[in-house]
Amino acid sequence: MQLPVSAISLDFTRGRNLELLKQHGFPADKRLGVGIVDARNVWQIRPEPALSLVNQIQSITANLSLQPSASLQFVPYDAARETHLPEALRHVLSFAEQKLREVVFLARTVAGEDTKVDQNSIQSAWKAFEQFSPANPTVQDKLKNLKMNDFQRSLSYAVRLPQQQSLPPFPTTTIGSFPQTSEVRQLRVKYKRGELTLAEYQIAIDAQIGECIRLQEEIGLDVLVHGEFERTDMVEYFGQQLSGFGFTEQGWVQSYGSRCVRPPIIYGDVARTAPMTVREFQVAQSLTPKPVKGMLTAPVTILNWSFPRTDISRQDQAFQIALALRAEITDLEAAGATIIQVDEPALREGLPLKPERWHEYLSWAVDAFRLATAIAQPQTQIHTHMCYCEFGDIIKDIERLDADVISIENSRSNNQTLREVTEAGYSHQIGNGVYDIHSPVVPTTEQIVQQLEVGVANLPSQQIWVNPDCGLKTRRWEEVIPALKNMVAATQKLREAKHVL
Ligand code: GLN
Ligand code: ZN
């Protein structure tokens, strides 16, 4: 309050600022910037709660300005540019342009201008949206009736382990995606434009899968993947097949640096309408006697990389997605999958800033993963993957995921992650990425051997998997093939050396 500034802006769309303001008051010589239009989500305001909030704040301090709750970099530019979204949805979306209009609308209303016409049009947009996207009672009932058992695999890790796929010591695998060449991208574009029929598109994708399987066999990997050629993006691909998700054409936001993403918008109850990944899995598995991993994106990553709804909790949204994935796991098992990977790279980035709020988030976030995967038969090996992250402080939560195998991005952390895992006494299997896929440099066999030696020095051999540290989709085949050959050669050396079980 003593800061030598004339105005202070606070976010009133999240957190406890109203409460704190009531408790402590506000200095009379300063102006309060009321962050009232949520700049981190894409939904239009509801005039009544927004206006009543301003009223409450006005009773504490009179010198106000109204504004978005944060910079507008987190939302796309203009919802009016979207031509493919259902009208009823588009009319309740608010991107940067709309947010600024909302600020003006609220300010005019607070200043006493008659804005009934605008208020009514916002309210009727919301009514039309509610009719367009009613609740899905089946999903909501399932959510209400969840039992403890739904979150718990039928057997403990130690008991189910001997029932799972038997593999050579230090099994080799990859994280899922293989190079997304311009040829692969062209296929998807042509299909989207209607230049390829679904049948033609699938034949072309299957040819990519076939070649990818052939190469993995030639390289000598133990656990194969289908390559993810049909996926533009690990979240969008699932969102497009689930009900309750909307996709923009122009809704780009900055991800990091110069990279931008178009997050899906979760607008309704999420449900699976048909199997999402089974066809491609079956194609791949039919081409090889080696196990192919079923490949799914986990609930919290789908949620954290989308714009969520604000009318139900994030936990409920994550659980709805988990229920959809759960059904997919059962279908993958029925199609013959013995190993299923459920990627959760965005788990940690959803952590609240304040450590005292971590527990609440992690408890439902980990539960969502468990809800998705606990349905797996004991014989089914559940993998997960996490990108670069500091693990040390959440290792207990990582353990609670109860995944049989976790692959982590480690090469850039200089084995810090590995040490943290070791110190915590992590007991499940772990693939501590042996080379950095973000670099075009092809690692030598010797470098990978060295990396594996660090692993062996830290963890019992039976716990160790060998894999690159993330998906290979941004690399070129010319880099991927020699790198994986060296990885397999390094593993062979290790198997022949003193460490063989
Ligand atoms: N399975 C995904 C892939 O290989 C995982 C990507 C990620 O971790 N971000 O691309
Ligand atoms: Zn990754």
Side-chain angles (χ1 to χ4, degrees):
M1 290 202 186
Q2 267 116 55
L3 281 176
V5 295
S6 54
I8 298 175
S9 297
L10 297 174
D11 182 349
F12 288 93
T13 62
R14 49 179 49 71
R16 315 169 33 227
N17 279 336
L18 180 61
E19 210 181 299
L20 292 170
L21 202 62
K22 283 182 179 160
Q23 223 172 316
H24 300 287
F26 194 77
D29 64 331
K30 298 192 199 314
R31 189 151 48 81
L32 174 62
V34 180
I36 185 139
V37 170
D38 188 352
R40 289 176 185 272
N41 211 335
V42 290
W43 300 103
Q44 181 170 260
I45 48 159
R46 306 253 186 186
E48 270 173 22
L51 289 167
S52 116
L53 181 62
V54 179
N55 273 338
Q56 292 184 62
I57 296 171
Q58 268 180 324
S59 68
I60 301 165
T61 175
N63 190 4
L64 305 182
S65 57
L66 301 188
Q67 55 194 56
S69 65
S71 118
L72 291 169
Q73 67 176 315
F74 307 107
V75 287
Y77 185 61
D78 183 4
R81 286 166 189 246
E82 299 301 328
T83 52
H84 283 57
L85 284 174
E87 289 270 291
L89 171 59
R90 186 168 62 81
H91 288 149
V92 291
L93 291 180
S94 167
F95 297 174
E97 284 268 344
Q98 288 72 34
K99 301 227 174 255
L100 294 177
R101 289 178 208 287
E102 287 172 358
V103 169
V104 174
F105 155 75
L106 289 172
R108 281 171 43 219
T109 315
V110 171
E113 223 179 282
D114 180 4
T115 58
K116 267 276 164 295
V117 176
D118 307 80
Q119 290 194 44
N120 289 343
S121 94
I122 297 177
Q123 255 136 14
S124 61
W126 276 113
K127 273 216 184 81
F129 171 72
E130 277 146 24
Q131 271 164 14
F132 159 76
S133 178
N136 177 336
T138 319
V139 176
Q140 301 211 342
D141 279 355
K142 274 194 200 153
L143 220 58
K144 264 191 231 124
N145 295 318
L146 290 175
K147 312 257 173 331
M148 288 284 269
N149 271 352
D150 297 328
F151 295 87
Q152 182 70 50
R153 289 193 70 177
S154 60
L155 297 177
S156 71
Y157 174 69
V159 183
R160 64 188 190 247
L161 180 63
Q163 300 183 24
Q164 296 178 357
Q165 237 341 302
S166 91
L167 293 162
F170 310 111
T172 53
T173 191
T174 62
I175 306 305
S177 58
F178 268 81
Q180 298 257 329
T181 56
S182 59
E183 188 192 345
V184 171
R185 282 197 296 269
Q186 272 305 308
L187 277 180
R188 286 196 307 256
V189 171
K190 281 191 184 151
Y191 173 55
K192 213 174 153 190
R193 284 204 205 120
E195 292 166 23
L196 287 178
T197 63
L198 176 62
E200 287 165 339
Y201 172 69
Q202 287 181 338
I203 289 171
I205 289 289
D206 295 353
Q208 298 284 338
I209 296 177
E211 181 57 12
C212 184
I213 294 288
R214 192 191 65 73
L215 272 165
Q216 292 173 82
E217 285 192 322
E218 187 184 296
I219 291 166
L221 292 159
D222 301 309
V223 173
L224 312 191
V225 296
H226 76 283
E228 301 181 27
F229 304 108
E230 75 289 8
R231 306 183 186 181
T232 41
D233 170 292
M234 64 189 290
V235 169
E236 186 179 65
Y237 181 73
F238 288 91
Q240 277 168 343
Q241 302 189 74
L242 291 165
S243 64
F245 279 83
F247 295 88
T248 64
E249 290 161 280
Q250 320 272 351
W252 296 97
V253 291
Q254 184 189 27
S255 155
Y256 60 90
S258 61
R259 290 199 50 155
C260 290
V261 290
R262 256 181 328 183
I265 298 168
I266 306 180
Y267 68 83
D269 287 334
V270 174
R272 194 186 74 137
T273 50
M276 304 182 282
T277 62
V278 173
R279 199 196 74 84
E280 289 75 16
F281 164 76
Q282 273 174 321
V283 169
Q285 188 65 85
S286 73
L287 299 168
T288 176
K290 293 200 168 167
V292 173
K293 288 192 268 194
M295 192 61 64
L296 306 174
T297 303
V300 175
T301 296
I302 295 184
L303 176 70
N304 282 348
W305 288 353
S306 301
F307 286 114
R309 298 162 65 170
T310 48
D311 58 334
I312 65 171
S313 67
R314 284 166 75 217
Q315 164 172 335
D316 281 353
Q317 293 172 73
F319 282 13
Q320 290 187 359
I321 301 167
L323 287 171
L325 293 167
R326 196 173 162 90
E328 187 72 9
I329 287 182
T330 303
D331 282 350
L332 280 168
E333 285 179 326
T338 54
I339 304 185
I340 299 172
Q341 181 171 311
V342 189
D343 290 325
E344 196 63 295
L347 181 80
R348 195 184 194 288
E349 73 181 45
L351 270 186
L353 222 49
K354 297 195 171 145
E356 66 263 27
R357 292 179 49 217
W358 283 13
H359 176 71
E360 193 260 325
Y361 164 76
L362 285 167
S363 87
W364 64 256
V366 171
D367 279 350
F369 184 90
R370 293 173 64 107
L371 178 60
T373 53
I375 189 78
Q377 300 298 311
Q379 305 87 297
T380 304
Q381 189 171 62
I382 294 289
H383 288 219
T384 189
H385 166 72
M386 288 191 186
C387 295
Y388 177 73
C389 84
E390 283 151 19
F391 256 13
D393 38 14
I394 60 165
I395 189 78
K396 287 286 162 237
D397 305 278
I398 304 281
E399 276 177 359
R400 210 167 69 76
L401 293 173
D402 199 24
D404 299 301
V405 183
I406 180 168
S407 58
I408 52 173
E409 185 174 325
N410 173 68
S411 341
R412 280 191 300 174
S413 81
N414 250 328
N415 289 314
Q416 170 69 15
T417 315
L418 177 65
R419 277 190 288 274
E420 287 168 355
V421 166
T422 311
E423 272 162 31
Y426 188 71
S427 62
H428 297 201
Q429 298 156 78
I430 181 161
N432 170 48
V434 294
Y435 77 89
D436 178 8
I437 62 93
H438 296 92
S439 151
V441 175
V442 173
T444 64
T445 304
E446 280 323 305
Q447 282 167 336
I448 300 178
V449 168
Q450 267 176 24
Q451 183 66 19
L452 285 170
E453 295 282 358
V454 178
V456 173
N458 281 276
L459 285 169
S461 304
Q462 311 88 285
Q463 271 176 266
I464 299 176
W465 280 65
V466 182
N467 47 257
D469 68 358
C470 196
L472 301 165
K473 88 188 217 189
T474 56
R475 296 266 65 86
R476 296 179 309 144
W477 282 107
E478 301 86 271
E479 295 147 5
V480 164
I481 295 172
L484 292 179
K485 281 188 173 159
N486 292 349
M487 187 182 91
V488 171
T491 309
Q492 208 46 47
K493 283 200 172 162
L494 197 70
R495 286 177 186 159
E496 285 157 15
K498 53 187 186 297
H499 309 296
V500 168
L501 309 175

